[in-house]
């Protein structure tokens, strides 16, 4: 069973930075796609950033140039560096792993970590 545990959330002023970490129990498969999502009250969960097994990244338009996703397979960890934070970045941030085994994709989710950006 894969378990994901996020950390690094908190309260920060606008313009500040936070670094989120997601520790994956077991091990990260080199073929896993990993990502960060977020959900604000009354809104649907949205993708923030993803990184493929080959290291390709993609970002939501709202965070491009401010957030950076990275992964360390040796440490079974994925990170999200968030700079120039804005109040609209306030949300619960969730770590996600998509694992494909024998053509079957399974999504794994962390419990979420709260990020609050004050104006």
């Amino acid at each position: 069973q894969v378990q994901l545990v996020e950390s690094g959330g908190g309260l920060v002023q606008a313009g500040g930075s936070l670094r989120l970490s997601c520790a994956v129990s077991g091990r990260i498969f080199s073929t896993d796609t990993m990502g960060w999502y977020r959900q604000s009250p009354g809104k649907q969960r949205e993708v923030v950033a993803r990184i493929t097994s080959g290291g390709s990244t993609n970002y939501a338009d709202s965070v491009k140039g401010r957030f950076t996703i990275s992964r360390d397979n040796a440490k079974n960890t994925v990170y999200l560096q968030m700079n120039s934070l804005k109040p609209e970045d306030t949300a619960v941030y969730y770590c996600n792993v998509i694992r494909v085994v024998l053509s079957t994709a399974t999504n794994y989710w962390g419990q979420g970590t709260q990020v609050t950006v004050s104006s």
Side-chain angles (χ1 to χ4, degrees):
Q1 182 70 13
V2 177
Q3 292 186 327
L4 286 65
V5 179
E6 301 99 334
S7 61
L11 174 63
V12 64
Q13 288 188 332
S17 298
L18 285 173
R19 188 193 195 203
L20 304 183
S21 298
C22 173
V24 182
S25 67
R27 65 184 180 94
I28 295 176
F29 288 13
S30 60
T31 53
D32 290 341
T33 293
M34 309 187 75
W36 288 93
Y37 291 68
R38 67 186 181 187
Q39 187 168 20
S40 303
K43 295 186 178 181
Q44 289 189 335
R45 191 174 297 187
E46 61 177 359
V47 61
V48 175
R50 284 185 289 208
I51 183 167
T52 68
S53 58
S56 297
T57 58
N58 59 76
Y59 299 90
D61 288 342
S62 59
V63 307
K64 283 181 181 177
R66 300 189 297 122
F67 291 10
T68 302
I69 188 171
S70 60
R71 61 192 286 170
D72 187 333
N73 289 352
K75 294 183 178 180
N76 296 333
T77 303
V78 60
Y79 305 96
L80 185 67
Q81 178 67 43
M82 305 186 295
N83 299 327
S84 302
L85 282 161
K86 303 176 181 180
E88 50 264 44
D89 295 318
T90 295
V92 178
Y93 284 70
Y94 297 90
C95 179
N96 170 261
V97 170
I98 301 174
R99 177 164 297 171
V100 178
V101 178
L102 298 177
S103 301
T104 299
T106 303
N107 272 277
Y108 298 95
W109 295 94
Q111 83 289 349
T113 185
Q114 177 70 47
V115 171
T116 303
V117 184
S118 63
S119 57

